Amino acid sequence: FEVARSLVDHGDSVVRNGDVGFDVFPGRDGKLYTYYRFPQSVLGVPAIVAADATGPVREERRHFYFVLTSAAAAALLALAYATWFRSRGLSERLAVLWAGAGILCTPSWFYGTSTFDDILGTAAVVAAVVVADAARRSGRWMGTGWAALLLGLAFNCKQPLALFGLGAAGALDDPGRGARQRLLRAG
């Protein structure tokens, strides 16, 4: 939140709140910076801009809108689940019910209602696998690129999520292709 606020108010990533000490370190010219993840900080910018557009600038409203980025990520995760289940032959009703269960019966519900950033990485990984599977089924390489970009987003959310690239590569695998093409696509 502090980086997003600084980007909106000052156009830089300096942490100016003296009450924040977690993951904040002195940097150039003695100013405080954080090594916190890029996607979460950048997504906070439109949230703060939207908060400011709804009335006078108030920190409470800015915080509330910032938390809504997690709710939006949870909604995108539910959409990815529903798309995945629908592609597997489930009816629209069952796909929506299973997608709801994927949010409500997992920690995604908690993360979607908090400022914890895990939900954004989860949404990116699941979307990458869904896009990779759709690319395999359609035979289009462009989907492979989108899946790679989504995995890059997941990696920037949390580096260990790169392991899920194996799942996306598996979703791209087409046993009907030659070994060279299969390795190239997985790569």
Side-chain angles (χ1 to χ4, degrees), residues 142-182:
M142 188 170 162
T144 305
W146 284 110
L149 287 172
L150 286 164
L151 284 172
L153 173 64
F155 177 77
N156 278 291
C157 289
K158 292 199 187 246
Q159 288 73 22
L161 292 177
L163 290 174
F164 289 100
L166 297 172
L172 281 170
D173 188 31
D174 184 357
R177 295 182 182 266
R180 182 181 165 104
Q181 284 184 323
R182 290 173 73 186

Side-chain angles (χ1 to χ4, degrees), residues 40-53:
Q40 291 85 348
S41 297
V42 170
L43 284 176
V45 170
I48 291 173
V49 169
D52 292 349

Side-chain angles (χ1 to χ4, degrees), residues 20-171:
V20 175
F22 182 73
D23 284 345
V24 176
F25 305 96
R28 190 178 336 189
D29 300 326
K31 295 179 181 174
L32 296 177
Y33 295 90
T34 183
Y35 62 80
Y36 199 70
R37 295 160 207 54
F38 178 73
Q40 291 85 348
S41 297
V42 170
L43 284 176
V45 170
I48 291 173
V49 169
D52 292 349
T54 62
V57 174
R58 292 185 50 211
E59 289 306 304
E60 298 86 1
R61 186 182 307 115
R62 283 179 157 190
H63 280 271
F64 175 74
Y65 274 68
F66 184 79
V67 171
L68 291 179
T69 61
S70 295
L76 290 173
L77 176 60
L79 183 61
Y81 280 144
T83 302
W84 175 262
F85 294 134
R86 190 74 177 111
S87 75
R88 293 287 170 234
L90 292 180
S91 68
E92 288 180 18
R93 181 176 179 273
L94 278 176
V96 168
L97 287 172
W98 277 107
I103 299 297
L104 299 173
C105 301
T106 67
S108 297
W109 176 255
F110 171 72
Y111 292 131
T113 59
S114 68
T115 57
F116 289 108
D117 56 7
D118 300 87
I119 192 70
L120 181 59
T122 302
V125 165
V126 171
V129 172
V130 171
V131 168
D133 181 62
R136 179 191 50 80
R137 285 184 288 108
S138 71
R140 296 186 181 156
W141 279 84
M142 188 170 162
T144 305
W146 284 110
L149 287 172
L150 286 164
L151 284 172
L153 173 64
F155 177 77
N156 278 291
C157 289
K158 292 199 187 246
Q159 288 73 22
L161 292 177
L163 290 174
F164 289 100
L166 297 172

